[in-house]
Amino acid sequence: MKYIFVTGGVVSSLGKGLAAASIGTLLEHRGLKVTLQKFDPYLNVDPGTMSPFQHGEVYVLDDGAETDLDLGHYERFTNCVLTKFNNLTSGQVFENVIKRERRGDYLGKTVQFIPHVTDEIKKRLNELTERNPDVNVIITEIGGTVGDIEGHLFLEALRQFSLEVGRENVCFIHVTLLPLIRAAGEIKTKPTQQSVAKLREIGIQPDIIICRTEHELDEDNRRKIAMFCNVEAKNVVAFRDVEHSIYECPLDLRRDKIDRLVVDRLGIESPTPDLADWEHFVENLLHPKHQVNIAVVGKYIELQDAYKSIYESLIHAGVHWSTKVNIVRVDSETINATNAAEIIGDVEGILIPGGFGDRGIEGKILTARYARESGIPFLGICLGMQVATIEYARNVCGLTGANSTEFDKSSPHPVICLQEEQKGISDLGATMRLGSCESIVFAGTKASELYRGAERIRERHRHRYEFNSDYQDQIQEAGLIISSVSADEGLVEIVELPTHPFFVAAQFHPEFQSRPNKQHPLFAGFIKAALDMKPAVPA
Ligand code: GLN
């Protein structure tokens, strides 16, 4: 097994995750099998309990692990299917160490940061190695910035690990920033020099330095960084701000042949990558033939990262139909009983994403109503499906006061409520219905058409509340059709309105399974319906 460790310096938000994912893309296109993992130095056991304001979207894996959104980039940029072993936090590390100490596993020793905590970190690398016997390269991204107190133990563990597996099997890549001082008109390399110096203080000499820059990296600066940072000039790679799309990142990093540098460093024989499929996707993305406007009505609208996978899924589906998807972000709190037409009247599609808590909920219910009544294509996801159900119950079935017990415990018509097994759970962490579950799709429905007749599908879940089975018959008879239920318990998975051009809402999260060249059927159908809303308008 070969290992790539990606660290970051100078500032956060450098695109380390995208750099790691892009290296994964390039190595896969060289015929190698890769997997990626993220080490997050914060103390939360997983990001599942963190607000999207803190941390952006929580990305859910097949096995139900609630992980950092960078794992979404990893899965979208490569073919790997990740598991809970691919995201390690300090919270997990310390939880394990303390549990073992209490069990007496340390046989009376003083339990210390080095070696016990660092051993625990290395254990994860070894576990991932054992679990992926067919993988050639494990790429590990270390969250945070070199110099942070909380990241220190992770870096120390990597230093030790690189000696244990042989330095020739490890490639350290450091991602830094080259700021431009406008007044002087100069790109500055000092922050890079200093952050590499910090890394070397710990005993890690990077093999490759990726310099994030708004501009080209000229040869003088390349040589200067090489000299001060003790690497060869060819190993200083520019990572330019991509103009339009994150999917350009692998192609940008390829310009300085990062994949070649990595395989040379690790002594791997592999052919030059054929990136035709990726280039084709980017080409289509950059040159759409049509465009549609899609309103995403949620409560974390101002945050770029909160609905990351949904935005990416819309892009994938758009590329499939040669369509640019213009996302109109709408804060559901701004929608009231009279202004829906004014705010979202001129879009070709309305999407309500997942969410928790009652803030903005009535605006979402009004949005679902507007979509239903106006015939604008509608896609509801998780909470979006729940509000569509509540809206239908209230306004079509006449169930006044219908609600989810998440928002109104004393609702006379709790059409969305807790499953029996959720009652009595008080811990918030990792206790929802999580991960991939199988469901049955009923023939003759829109869902069946979208999934091309598949009778069984697997989708990822992350929710606590469910469509209340007591109301299934009544709501169906009134016209909101249940087109998919879970294979094990018969829980409602998809509802749809046959009388509407496109009104589909799912309890699961389709956005976690959409890939650039494998758009998700629900998103693809939604964008197609949006396109059909109007005569083709050139982009
Ligand atoms: N809050 C809802 C629930 O827990 C929906 C969750 C979601 O949209 N992910 O069921």
Side-chain angles (χ1 to χ4, degrees):
M1 184 68 80
K2 305 285 181 177
Y3 301 89
I4 298 173
F5 296 124
V6 182
T7 55
V10 185
V11 291
S12 58
S13 305
L14 276 178
K16 239 185 323 154
L18 283 169
S22 299
I23 294 166
T25 314
L26 295 173
L27 294 184
E28 271 194 353
H29 282 80
R30 295 184 82 102
L32 299 170
K33 198 155 164 34
V34 301
T35 191
L36 291 107
Q37 76 178 332
K38 175 109 193 256
F39 285 171
D40 277 311
Y42 52 69
L43 275 171
N44 304 62
V45 171
D46 63 44
T49 52
M50 272 190 244
S51 155
F53 281 116
Q54 289 280 308
H55 201 261
E57 153 187 290
V58 173
Y59 188 78
V60 181
L61 305 179
D62 270 349
D63 67 0
E66 298 173 275
T67 69
D68 185 83
L69 59 79
D70 276 320
L71 276 82
H73 291 314
Y74 304 165
E75 285 200 334
R76 284 187 284 269
F77 274 59
T78 68
N79 293 311
C80 58
V81 177
L82 306 175
T83 69
K84 63 177 186 209
F85 293 97
N86 297 70
N87 194 188
L88 181 70
T89 66
S90 291
Q92 290 169 33
V93 172
F94 288 120
E95 192 184 37
N96 290 343
V97 170
I98 302 282
K99 265 195 210 140
R100 298 177 67 182
E101 186 277 331
R102 292 289 83 184
R103 272 204 311 261
D105 287 3
Y106 295 111
L107 305 175
K109 290 206 183 76
T110 308
V111 182
Q112 297 186 295
F113 286 107
I114 301 171
H116 302 107
V117 173
T118 47
D119 279 356
E120 194 61 41
I121 296 169
K122 288 186 287 179
K123 205 169 110 207
R124 177 55 64 87
L125 281 161
N126 289 321
E127 268 167 352
L128 203 66
T129 308
E130 279 159 28
R131 284 174 179 273
N132 291 284
D134 53 338
V135 160
N136 306 106
V137 186
I138 295 179
I139 304 170
T140 305
E141 176 195 349
I142 294 82
T145 307
V146 167
D148 294 347
I149 290 180
E150 56 180 20
H152 204 91
L153 286 164
F154 284 91
L155 297 173
E156 167 60 17
L158 298 187
R159 185 194 64 76
Q160 295 172 16
F161 186 82
S162 69
L163 296 181
E164 288 164 20
V165 297
R167 189 64 179 81
E168 68 283 7
N169 295 317
V170 175
C171 179
F172 280 103
I173 300 183
H174 191 55
V175 185
T176 73
L177 176 71
L178 293 185
L180 170 80
I181 303 298
R182 277 186 208 283
E186 276 179 42
I187 283 184
K188 291 294 176 191
T189 65
K190 187 79 78 196
T192 298
Q193 296 173 34
Q194 288 182 341
S195 94
V196 170
K198 265 253 135 335
L199 206 50
R200 287 163 68 189
E201 241 170 57
I202 306 168
I204 293 175
Q205 166 64 51
D207 300 300
I208 296 172
I209 297 173
I210 294 181
C211 301
R212 178 75 189 271
T213 161
E214 278 179 66
H215 306 271
E216 293 297 324
L217 172 62
D218 63 40
E219 285 316 303
D220 281 352
N221 278 325
R222 202 186 291 267
R223 272 198 296 276
K224 192 166 165 190
I225 294 167
M227 184 179 69
F228 279 104
C229 300
N230 200 26
V231 298
E232 282 180 65
K234 70 172 171 40
N235 287 11
V236 180
V237 170
F239 189 22
R240 302 154 195 91
D241 289 0
V242 284
E243 222 168 295
H244 305 285
S245 153
I246 56 170
Y247 298 100
E248 293 173 75
C249 291
L251 305 177
D252 181 61
L253 283 170
R254 173 74 192 136
R255 290 214 290 175
D256 284 338
K257 307 227 171 11
I258 187 145
D259 50 311
R260 177 69 193 277
L261 298 172
V262 168
V263 293
D264 283 354
R265 158 76 202 141
L266 293 172
I268 303 172
E269 296 268 335
S270 70
T272 316
D274 173 6
L275 288 159
D277 63 334
W278 200 271
E279 281 163 350
H280 186 70
F281 176 82
V282 172
E283 184 63 22
N284 284 347
L285 194 160
L286 300 185
H287 302 102
K289 295 195 182 72
H290 324 282
Q291 58 177 318
V292 289
N293 300 309
I294 301 291
V296 175
V297 184
K299 78 171 174 183
Y300 304 115
I301 269 332
E302 63 276 31
L303 273 173
Q304 185 66 26
D305 282 347
Y307 304 121
K308 184 105 213 147
S309 294
I310 289 180
Y311 297 149
E312 296 308 319
S313 303
L314 289 169
I315 291 172
H316 303 160
V319 170
H320 176 70
W321 296 112
S322 304
T323 297
K324 177 166 187 262
V325 179
N326 303 314
I327 294 168
V328 182
R329 297 161 197 244
V330 179
D331 181 344
S332 62
E333 281 189 293
T334 61
I335 306 239
N336 62 38
T338 55
N339 66 6
E342 193 188 312
I343 297 182
I344 46 176
D346 59 354
V347 297
E348 288 84 51
I350 296 171
L351 187 153
I352 301 185
F356 296 83
D358 61 359
R359 188 162 65 77
I361 206 73
E362 289 302 323
K364 288 182 190 169
I365 294 172
L366 290 165
T367 300
R369 176 174 195 166
Y370 180 74
R372 177 175 61 77
E373 291 179 342
S374 65
I376 297 178
F378 173 79
L379 181 61
I381 295 179
C382 207
L383 181 64
M385 175 272 206
Q386 298 176 354
V387 298
T389 304
I390 294 167
E391 188 281 311
Y392 207 78
R394 284 186 191 174
N395 301 318
V396 180
C397 305
L399 299 172
T400 311
N403 215 328
S404 163
T405 53
E406 181 178 3
F407 315 124
D408 179 4
K409 297 235 170 340
S410 55
S411 164
H413 297 293
V415 291
I416 306 291
C417 66
L418 283 183
Q419 273 286 101
E420 228 18 77
E421 60 261 31
Q422 282 288 340
K423 296 181 181 158
I425 290 180
S426 57
D427 273 7
L428 287 184
T431 53
M432 284 185 262
R433 180 168 178 236
L434 286 166
S436 181
C437 307
E438 190 177 49
S439 38
I440 299 163
V441 183
F442 300 127
T445 59
K446 183 82 188 169
S448 171
E449 179 196 321
L450 295 170
Y451 282 97
R452 293 170 183 236
E455 282 163 21
R456 284 173 181 257
I457 55 170
R458 293 198 72 90
E459 294 283 358
R460 297 182 188 176
H461 295 70
R462 180 173 187 251
H463 62 109
R464 209 178 290 283
Y465 295 81
E466 303 282 352
F467 191 125
N468 184 346
S469 54
D470 293 348
Y471 289 91
Q472 281 187 22
D473 291 346
Q474 192 178 352
I475 292 176
Q476 282 219 86
E477 275 153 28
L480 186 67
I481 299 303
I482 295 168
S483 48
S484 173
V485 297
S486 68
D488 51 1
E489 294 178 86
L491 301 170
V492 174
E493 295 281 10
I494 305 180
V495 296
E496 58 184 71
L497 269 182
T499 52
H500 189 283
F502 187 99
F503 192 101
V504 178
Q507 183 59 83
F508 50 79
H509 290 268
E511 71 272 25
F512 296 138
Q513 297 205 106
S514 175
R515 303 286 175 263
N517 280 316
K518 221 174 92 207
Q519 69 291 341
H520 190 282
L522 296 189
F523 282 93
F526 175 54
I527 295 299
K528 177 73 172 68
L531 269 173
D532 290 345
M533 278 290 288
K534 56 176 195 181
V537 177

